[in-house]
Amino acid sequence: MDADELKATVKTVLRISADVYDVEIEMLIDSALEDLKRVGISELAIDEGNPLVRKAVCCYCKANFGYDNSDASFFDRAYRQTVTDLMNSKANVCAGDSDG
């Protein structure tokens, strides 16, 4: 998954056009990707840009961006549900299967 493309997607979802928040956004993206790896989402699913991976990263960023976020718990639940969906998805199982 192209890092610049993912950052552009996250910035669009966060409704941010300025570059002033790029450091925070990049940190959140990195944290989301590490969390996905931590719970067992395959590197291949992450690297190939699975749509559920992009959705999970966006939800994670929306839940954790900024300080006064009244929707944080909603997006945190959405992130966790998307991670569960990813963990149970055929793409994650197939991606982790060396036999294809």
Side-chain angles (χ1 to χ4, degrees):
M1 178 175 343
D2 180 67
D4 290 332
E5 183 181 325
L6 183 57
K7 182 172 73 172
T9 299
V10 169
K11 286 177 75 169
T12 299
V13 168
L14 293 174
R15 295 176 179 90
I16 302 292
S17 58
D19 296 336
V20 69
Y21 298 108
D22 280 5
V23 171
E24 181 178 0
I25 291 168
E26 290 167 0
M27 179 190 69
L28 289 172
I29 291 169
D30 290 344
S31 297
L33 293 173
E34 283 302 312
D35 192 58
L36 292 172
K37 292 174 194 173
R38 179 188 63 82
V39 299
I41 304 306
S42 73
E43 294 269 349
L44 188 57
I46 292 169
D47 292 343
E48 289 183 348
N50 181 299
L52 286 175
V53 170
R54 284 194 307 273
K55 179 183 175 190
V57 170
C58 288
C59 288
Y60 184 96
C61 292
K62 284 191 72 95
N64 293 287
F65 183 75
Y67 295 111
D68 187 22
N69 184 352
S70 61
D71 294 325
S73 62
F74 171 82
F75 287 109
D76 184 60
R77 284 191 307 273
Y79 169 73
R80 293 179 190 285
Q81 182 59 55
T82 304
V83 169
T84 299
D85 294 344
L86 264 166
M87 291 171 71
N88 294 313
S89 87
K90 193 176 221 178
N92 191 49
V93 173
C94 291
D97 183 4
S98 61
D99 293 333

